[in-house]
Amino acid sequence: MLTADTVHDGALLQVHDFRSYFDTPAGIVKAVDGVSFTLDRGDTLGIVGESGSGKTVLARSVMGLLTGKNVMRSGSARYNGIELVGASEKELRDLWGTEMAMVFQDPMTSLNPVLKTGRQITEGLRYHLQLSKSEARAQALQLLDSVGIPDPKRRISQYPHELSGGMRQRVTIAIALACGPKLLLADEPTTALDVTVQAQILDLLHQQQVERHMAMVLVTHDLGVVAGRTNHIAVMYAGQIVEYAPTTDLFANVRMPYTQALLHSIPKLAQPSHTRLQAIAGRPPDLINPPSGCRFAPRCPYVQPKCNSEMPPLQESETPGHLYRCWFPVGTEAGREALAHNTAAGMPAAVSITQILADPPGGTH
Amino acid sequence: MTDLVSPPDGIATNPPPASPASDKKIKTAKKTGALGIGGWIASIWLITLTAAAVFAPWLPLDDPAKTDFSVPKNNSSPFTAGHLLGTDNNGYDILARIVWGGRVSLVVAAGVLIIGMLVGGTIGLLAGFFRGKSETLLMASVDVFLAFPALILLIAIVAFLGADLLNVVLGISLVSIPAFARISRATTLTYAQREFVLAARAAGASQKRILVREILPNVILPLLAFGLLVVGIAIVAEGSLAFLGLTSTETISWGGMINGGKKPLQQDNIAHTAMIPAVTMFLTVLAVNVLGDRFRAAFDVKDSML
C-alpha cells in the first residue's frame, strides 16, 4: 500500500500537463488537453466551463476513475506526492474513499436504489476503517446528522426513493465524507437540484470543508456557484484551462474573452426585467480536430487573424498568479484595439459586447 | 391541506376533490397490498399445496400406492365414501396421489429455480459485468442450448441419462439456464453503467465488492420474478415428460396421472381421473404466474419512483 502521509511537499494535488484522450471510431477525442494546476491543503479550486469543455472528464480522470481501454492518460497528477497517472487500480483503490472522494452530479442515480441509505454509508466505513456493525451505524448516524439530515435514526433505514433530491445529495456527501478524505472532488454537485436547495448544499460542502480542513475541487458550469466559495478558479474551454486566477482577481480583472462572455451570460439582479441574456453564439469546437489557433477564436468577439493561426500560451498577467490564454486580452490596449476593429467591421458578437461595456446594464460590473 | 386564504371566485383550486370511487380504489389497494386479491388467492393456493406436499406422510391420507377394489368399476367419482376425489382405474385414491404428485412438482420447481438461478444468474452476472472475451465465451456457450428446441433437448437428456427425478430436475435446469443467464446479463449491463457503481468505485470498493454488494441486489429482484415464471414452466415440463411416459413409472406425478386418465376418458367417458390432476396443474401454474407478475410489478415501483 502506498502511504500517503509520508510525503509532504506543500501542495496536496499537483496536476501538470495532464491529458486525457479517448480513442473513438471517429478519431481521438482530446477531452482534456494539457491542464496544469496546483491545489493546496484546505483550499478550494473551482473549475468552470460549459458542457463538453472537459471539466467532468478532468475530475474523473485525475482521480483515475476512467479505466476504459480507449482512455489514454498522460502528463502528471500527483496526490500528496503520489503519482496517479499510471498507478494500478489497486494502488488507486487505497486512496479512493479514504484520501480522495467524489460527489456526483445526480443524486437520483448516484445512490443504489435497492440499498438502504444506512447500508450505503456504512459500507465504506466497515470496509476501509474496519468498524464493527454497531460502530459503523453510530458513525453513520453522526454523519447524517452533520450533513444536516433531520431525524437520522429514521432516515438511516429508508431507501433513496423515500428521500427528496436535496436530502439524497446530503446522503451522497455523507458517503463521500465517511472515511475522512483530504480531497473532495464535487462534480456539479448542485446542477440536478432545485435552486432553493443549491445554496444549502454549497454551504454544507463549504462548512464540512472548513471543519475537516479538506481540499475541494468544485466543478460547475455556473460562475455564480464558485464566486464566493473558492480560492482559485480555473476556466476551461475545449479541454484547456483558458484562465486561472485567484477568485477575487478573476472577477475584478477578467482577461480572457471567454470568461467575460460567461460572466455576461449570467442574469443579474440589477438588470431591468426582460433584459436579453448575452448568450455565447456558436458551439464549442470539435475536440477530435480542435482549431489550430486559439480554440475560442471562432466564437470570440476580439478575434484577429493571429488568433486563428497561433495558439496563445498560458501567460501571467501583471497580477501574480493570474494566468490567461489570449493574444488580445480584455482590459489591455491590444484587446481594446481588437474589439474596436471588430466592432467597426460590424461583427455581431463584438458589437453587442461593445454596447454592454459602454452601457453596463444595471450599473457597473 | 387547508387554504388560509380562500381564492377569488372563478379561479380553480387544485387538487380537485377526490371522487368517492377513487377513494375506494385506494382503500382496496391498501387493504390487499401489492398482491391484490388474485395474488392473495394464488399465495393461499400455493401455500396449501406446498404444506400438503411437505407434510404428506403425516396427513390422514390413503396410501397412494394402495389400490381399493371395494369401489365399483375402480373408477369411482369424487365424493364417494372414503375417497374425497374418487379413485382412478387402478383403484388408487386420487386425493392422495395429487398430494404426493405435488411433492414431485415441488422438488422439480425448487430444484430448477435454485440450479437455474445460481448457474444462469452467475453466468449472466459475470458476462455482463466483465464484458470482453469472457462475455463472448460465456454467452456463446449458453446460446448453444438455445439452438435446440427445449422439449426435444429435455427428452434427449432424460433419455440419455435415465428417467429418475434427479435427472429430470437437472435436465429442466439445463434448459432454463440460458434464459436466466440472458436476463441476468441484460440487467447487469444496465446497472453496471449506473452512476452508483462509479460512486462505489470512487469510494474504493473492489470489483468483487461492487459486483456482490451493488449490482447483485439489483439483479436478484428481476431474476426472482422471472424465476417464478420458470417454476410454472418447469412444472409443465415435468408434467409433459411424465405424460409422455419418459419419467420413471414409480414416481407419482401429475403428468403421469393425466396420462393414466387418458384411457378412461377416451373409452369410458370418465373425465375426473384426467381432469383433477390437469386442473390442479393448471391452477398451480396460474397461481405461480400471477404471483410472479405481482412481484415484478411491486419491484418495478421502486425504480419508477426514482
Side-chain angles (χ1 to χ4, degrees):
Chain A
M1 189 186 142
L2 297 165
T3 45
D5 286 323
T6 50
V7 193
H8 289 287
D9 52 358
L12 186 67
L13 183 64
Q14 283 174 300
V15 176
H16 183 70
D17 197 27
F18 185 80
R19 285 159 210 272
S20 195
Y21 292 175
F22 297 99
D23 196 357
T24 68
I28 292 174
V29 178
K30 303 177 178 84
V32 175
D33 202 8
V35 164
S36 308
F37 65 83
T38 303
L39 181 62
D40 290 336
R41 288 159 204 284
D43 269 11
T44 307
L45 170 71
I47 298 181
V48 187
E50 63 193 297
S51 303
S53 60
K55 50 196 192 306
T56 295
V57 174
L58 173 64
R60 289 189 185 179
S61 58
V62 159
M63 205 168 156
L65 283 173
L66 301 177
T67 49
K69 284 200 186 80
N70 63 339
V71 182
M72 297 176 281
R73 296 199 302 163
S74 62
S76 155
R78 298 173 81 83
Y79 171 84
N80 221 347
I82 303 164
E83 181 57 60
L84 302 176
V85 177
S88 72
E89 169 109 8
K90 183 161 182 327
E91 289 167 326
L92 288 172
R93 211 179 289 140
D94 288 332
L95 301 174
W96 292 342
T98 46
E99 294 290 329
M100 52 177 91
M102 188 172 250
V103 174
F104 290 87
Q105 176 174 347
D106 190 353
M108 312 291 152
T109 57
S110 58
L111 288 171
N112 195 331
V114 295
L115 299 183
K116 290 177 178 171
T117 54
R119 162 86 188 277
Q120 302 195 42
I121 301 173
T122 53
E123 189 77 39
L125 289 169
R126 300 196 56 195
Y127 179 63
H128 289 302
L129 307 182
Q130 260 101 52
L131 296 184
S132 74
K133 211 168 181 176
S134 56
E135 283 170 334
R137 191 188 138 84
Q139 184 84 31
L141 282 172
Q142 205 188 335
L143 274 163
L144 283 177
D145 190 49
S146 72
V147 295
I149 286 189
D151 199 2
K153 277 211 173 71
R154 188 161 69 90
R155 296 301 183 188
I156 201 169
S157 53
Q158 284 186 323
Y159 289 95
H161 74 264
E162 297 175 270
L163 308 178
S164 69
M167 245 194 261
R168 274 185 240 188
Q169 193 62 297
R170 284 173 196 270
V171 171
T172 64
I173 291 172
I175 294 172
L177 296 178
C179 297
K182 294 178 188 69
L183 172 64
L184 185 69
L185 294 114
D187 183 7
E188 306 224 23
T190 58
T191 307
L193 300 178
D194 202 341
V195 189
T196 51
V197 185
Q198 288 189 359
Q200 296 172 17
I201 295 293
L202 289 168
D203 289 342
L204 170 68
L205 283 172
H206 182 70
Q207 169 215 334
Q208 290 296 321
Q209 183 197 4
V210 173
E211 272 176 28
R212 293 160 185 269
H213 195 64
M214 182 173 68
M216 183 160 80
V217 174
L218 188 58
V219 177
T220 177
H221 62 258
D222 189 351
L223 268 173
V225 163
V226 291
R229 296 180 171 88
T230 54
N231 303 94
H232 284 83
I233 291 178
V235 180
M236 276 192 83
Y237 186 77
Q240 294 178 323
I241 288 182
V242 292
E243 187 155 16
Y244 178 88
T247 304
T248 44
D249 195 53
L250 181 86
F251 287 103
N253 305 307
V254 176
R255 284 287 175 266
M256 178 68 195
Y258 177 62
T259 315
Q260 188 190 33
L262 271 186
L263 280 169
H264 286 306
S265 65
I266 303 172
K268 289 168 202 69
L269 278 178
Q271 284 169 348
S273 45
H274 305 296
T275 306
R276 275 187 84 87
L277 277 179
Q278 291 298 317
I280 308 174
R283 276 185 297 165
D286 175 17
L287 291 177
I288 294 173
N289 295 306
S292 54
C294 171
R295 294 189 176 174
F296 186 57
R299 305 167 77 185
C300 182
Y302 295 76
V303 63
Q304 297 298 311
K306 190 185 185 187
C307 303
N308 286 318
S309 54
E310 281 175 71
M311 182 183 294
L314 205 55
Q315 55 193 310
E316 195 157 16
S317 75
E318 59 273 25
T319 329
H322 188 146
L323 306 173
Y324 60 91
R325 199 185 274 278
C326 186
W327 292 122
F328 303 95
V330 180
T332 63
E333 201 49 50
R336 269 189 288 276
E337 270 170 28
L339 186 63
H341 183 262
N342 284 345
T343 311
M347 185 182 175
V351 172
S352 73
I353 282 282
T354 311
Q355 273 171 1
I356 294 169
L357 292 178
D359 177 24
T364 54
H365 176 71
Chain B
M1 200 185 90
T2 51
D3 285 321
L4 294 177
V5 182
S6 56
D9 294 337
I11 292 175
T13 53
N14 59 84
S19 67
S22 71
D23 253 15
K24 208 174 168 191
K25 239 183 202 168
I26 290 168
K27 254 182 204 159
T28 37
K30 248 188 195 159
K31 228 185 247 168
T32 53
L35 282 175
I37 293 170
W40 275 108
I41 297 174
S43 344
I44 290 168
W45 170 256
L46 287 179
I47 289 167
T48 315
L49 205 71
T50 312
V54 169
F55 298 109
W58 298 280
L59 289 178
L61 290 168
D62 287 2
D63 183 347
K66 199 189 83 188
T67 51
D68 181 357
F69 290 110
S70 64
V71 288
K73 274 179 76 186
N74 301 341
N75 252 324
S76 75
S77 14
F79 307 115
T80 47
H83 304 284
L84 191 59
L85 293 179
T87 59
D88 65 7
N89 55 342
N90 289 324
Y92 292 130
D93 181 70
I94 291 181
L95 178 63
R97 287 180 82 84
I98 287 280
V99 171
W100 283 82
R103 282 169 84 92
V104 171
S105 296
L106 194 71
V107 168
V108 169
V112 171
L113 191 63
I114 292 169
I115 299 175
M117 233 166 76
L118 269 183
V119 178
T122 312
I123 289 176
L125 205 62
L126 294 177
F129 188 64
F130 291 109
R131 311 295 313 268
K133 278 196 188 114
S134 53
E135 179 184 28
T136 319
L137 199 72
L138 284 171
M139 292 322 282
S141 57
V142 157
D143 285 349
V144 166
F145 289 101
L146 281 179
F148 299 101
L151 193 63
I152 308 289
L153 181 63
L154 190 52
I155 290 172
I157 292 167
V158 173
F160 185 67
L161 293 175
D164 62 347
L165 190 56
L166 179 70
N167 287 337
V168 171
V169 171
L170 285 179
I172 301 176
S173 307
L174 196 64
V175 171
S176 77
I177 284 174
F180 275 115
R182 301 204 129 231
I183 290 196
S184 156
R185 171 178 162 271
T187 322
T188 308
L189 279 179
T190 57
Y191 282 106
Q193 298 302 316
R194 291 280 196 91
E195 208 156 56
F196 64 78
V197 171
L198 190 65
R201 279 189 65 216
S206 62
Q207 298 275 75
K208 193 180 117 208
R209 237 182 140 71
I210 289 174
L211 193 61
V212 176
R213 299 232 163 185
E214 301 284 335
I215 295 178
L216 183 62
N218 283 293
V219 173
I220 204 113
L221 297 181
L223 215 54
L224 266 175
F226 177 71
L228 276 175
L229 298 182
V230 169
V231 162
I233 296 167
I235 291 173
V236 172
E238 189 275 332
S240 312
L241 285 180
F243 180 79
L244 293 171
L246 291 170
T247 57
S248 159
T249 43
E250 307 283 300
T251 333
I252 303 164
S253 101
W254 295 342
M257 290 172 76
I258 299 173
N259 190 21
K262 212 168 60 182
K263 222 163 95 190
L265 184 66
Q266 285 167 342
Q267 294 175 356
D268 310 317
N269 238 359
I270 296 167
H272 74 272
T273 43
M275 288 315 278
I276 291 172
V279 167
T280 312
M281 188 188 280
F282 168 76
L283 287 179
T284 309
V285 173
L286 182 69
V288 167
N289 282 351
V290 165
L291 269 192
D293 204 45
R294 293 289 191 280
F295 275 145
R296 197 182 44 73
F299 293 143
D300 271 357
V301 170
K302 226 173 246 169
D303 246 7
S304 65
M305 282 166 99
L306 267 175

